[in-house]
Amino acid sequence: SVELFSFDVEAGAEAATLDSIVLSMIGAGATSNIADVYLYEGNTRLTEARSVNSSTRAATFSNLGLEFAANEDRTFTARVTISSSQVAADTIGFEIMSADDVTGSGDVSGSFPISGNTFTLTGSDSGTVTVTKNGTISDPTIGEQEAEIGMFKIAADNEDAWLNMITLEVDSASDHTNFKLWDDSTFLASGVNTNGDSVLFDLSADQFLIEDGDNNIFTVTANIGGQAADTVKVFVDNAVDVEAIGGDFGFGYLAVE
């Protein structure tokens, strides 16, 4: 995915809730250039995919239920996946047109429109990374330390891939601790339970290289909690949850499952 727009939201003197926000597409490009739009806070994906309406040129994020403490300031970003039918030299971007495009528990104010930069599409195809299940894992036991709970393969095609972030869904993630990502016996990153059952592995400080045409097998371990007969399922919920940077163009790779 590619970050196109960043904006701040600050609560007033009282606690507040952000319920919905509408992002309007700017630039001369067609809406069909953008496949999907996602809302993030930091590296945490907050929403499922939204599309840009071809008539209104807007993407609507509703039922957010984001709670703010009094005077709390938070930064959000809009990230997109680019359509395979993008048109070279088209320009794209996003803005919040007016206070009416933001709804919550209190009054909304700001200097509208709040606009991000516009970006020009090149028409060049980036590489792809393909994520697949790999291997067979034995059932862990309650209390087991660094038990293997997941194994998957990532393959790179069309350019080198520098893995930056991987977010996995782990059933009842809060029941378990000490999530770790491994390359064979080499430790790569600790996992953080960021939102619900999502566990984020941040590799940005030391990105992992998968060369063009090559692949690598990764394993996930955790200290096991929960109850007897619980199921621990580990999976990639959305292709955008595997973030890799292309070695040729320096932009986000297209991930496929």
Side-chain angles (χ1 to χ4, degrees):
S1 62
V2 180
E3 182 179 314
L4 286 192
F5 182 42
S6 177
F7 58 95
D8 293 336
V9 178
E10 183 178 2
E14 298 181 358
T17 301
L18 176 62
D19 292 323
S20 68
I21 192 161
V22 178
L23 303 182
S24 296
M25 188 173 166
I26 58 176
T31 59
S32 57
N33 285 308
I34 296 177
D36 295 304
V37 190
Y38 301 86
L39 191 65
Y40 279 75
E41 183 174 19
N43 294 316
T44 300
R45 179 169 59 85
L46 301 177
T47 68
E48 297 299 326
R50 300 292 192 273
S51 59
V52 179
N53 185 286
S54 59
S55 299
T56 64
R57 293 177 63 85
T60 301
F61 297 92
S62 56
N63 301 315
L64 294 174
L66 297 171
E67 297 182 353
F68 288 70
N71 301 309
E72 183 180 8
D73 186 6
R74 297 166 66 176
T75 300
F76 302 95
T77 57
R79 300 188 191 181
V80 304
T81 53
I82 302 300
S83 169
S84 59
S85 59
Q86 81 272 17
V87 177
D90 270 9
T91 55
I92 58 174
F94 284 105
E95 69 178 4
I96 303 171
M97 292 183 64
S98 72
D100 292 337
D101 290 329
V102 183
T103 61
S105 59
D107 295 333
V108 177
S109 62
S111 181
F112 296 97
I114 299 170
S115 303
N117 296 327
T118 55
F119 299 85
T120 302
L121 298 173
T122 67
S124 299
D125 291 331
S126 67
T128 58
V129 288
T130 303
V131 186
T132 54
K133 177 182 176 182
N134 189 269
T136 302
I137 296 173
S138 301
D139 292 337
T141 58
I142 294 175
E144 186 176 349
Q145 306 294 294
E146 295 192 355
E148 192 172 278
I149 61 172
M151 183 183 297
F152 57 95
K153 180 170 69 175
I154 298 180
D157 183 50
N158 203 40
E159 57 178 318
D160 291 350
W162 291 93
L163 290 181
N164 197 47
M165 308 247 178
I166 299 174
T167 299
L168 301 174
E169 298 298 306
V170 180
D171 284 349
S172 302
S174 61
D175 287 344
H176 316 294
T177 59
N178 195 30
F179 295 100
K180 292 181 179 180
L181 181 69
W182 301 84
D183 167 33
D184 197 9
S185 60
T186 301
F187 169 75
L188 298 179
S190 293
V192 178
N193 185 194
T194 57
N195 184 32
D197 286 339
S198 298
V199 177
L200 170 67
F201 297 93
D202 186 349
L203 301 166
S204 59
D206 188 15
Q207 294 176 329
F208 187 91
L209 172 64
I210 302 177
E211 294 183 344
D212 180 15
D214 203 354
N215 64 75
N216 201 81
I217 295 172
F218 301 90
T219 56
V220 180
T221 62
N223 296 351
I224 304 300
Q227 304 295 320
D230 281 354
T231 299
V232 183
K233 183 180 179 182
V234 179
F235 61 98
V236 177
D237 179 58
N238 190 305
V240 296
D241 294 335
V242 178
E243 181 181 316
I245 306 301
D248 292 344
F249 301 109
F251 292 106
Y253 238 95
L254 176 64
V256 295
E257 299 174 79

